[in-house]
Amino acid sequence: DSQSLETTLGDPQSEACWNLWCKTAEANTRVFRTMFRAWPDSSQRTWAAYHEAKAQSAAGAAEDAPSQLVGRVVDYPLTFLADEGLINPLPRCPVLQATPIHKVF
């Protein structure tokens, strides 16, 4: 009910308030993940999973989403592409390599 919600949110440092935020974020993230295929998302740990999620369609399901969302809080995607070696540079393309200025003029 609204009275207990107001009491819970009235003390933002309380464990009850923190638990409410976490529960709400988890539920909202689930809606965005299943209905909108939103990205970045922690369920997309590889490029293959990312491309698969982008290719899937949730046609028609998104109409029910606003009624299932509570506010705008979602989980931060901490493990998005976590299984990819993003630190390693891509192979260099000779066409895109920098050309010294003295060779241009």
Side-chain angles (χ1 to χ4, degrees), residues 29-76:
T29 299
R30 198 174 317 110
V31 171
F32 276 100
R33 181 178 292 147
T34 57
M35 294 190 176
F36 297 114
R37 306 292 185 233
W39 64 276
D41 184 66
S42 286
S43 68
Q44 302 157 5
R45 296 180 60 95
T46 63
W47 282 113
Y50 163 77
H51 290 297
E52 181 182 329
K54 293 299 285 180
Q56 292 175 352
S57 172
E63 296 167 1
D64 298 332
S67 65
Q68 296 180 31
L69 294 171
V70 179
R72 296 183 177 130
V73 63
V74 293
D75 286 331
Y76 189 80

Side-chain angles (χ1 to χ4, degrees), residues 1-93:
D1 68 339
S2 64
Q3 184 68 12
S4 70
L5 182 61
E6 197 170 308
T7 303
T8 301
L9 295 175
D11 182 8
Q13 293 182 337
S14 71
E15 189 170 334
C17 185
W18 177 251
N19 290 338
L20 176 64
W21 279 108
C22 291
K23 180 181 169 186
T24 303
E26 183 180 328
N28 285 348
T29 299
R30 198 174 317 110
V31 171
F32 276 100
R33 181 178 292 147
T34 57
M35 294 190 176
F36 297 114
R37 306 292 185 233
W39 64 276
D41 184 66
S42 286
S43 68
Q44 302 157 5
R45 296 180 60 95
T46 63
W47 282 113
Y50 163 77
H51 290 297
E52 181 182 329
K54 293 299 285 180
Q56 292 175 352
S57 172
E63 296 167 1
D64 298 332
S67 65
Q68 296 180 31
L69 294 171
V70 179
R72 296 183 177 130
V73 63
V74 293
D75 286 331
Y76 189 80
L78 293 173
T79 59
F80 178 65
L81 298 180
D83 295 340
E84 293 293 337
L86 300 177
I87 294 176
N88 299 329
L90 295 173
R92 290 188 175 224
C93 176

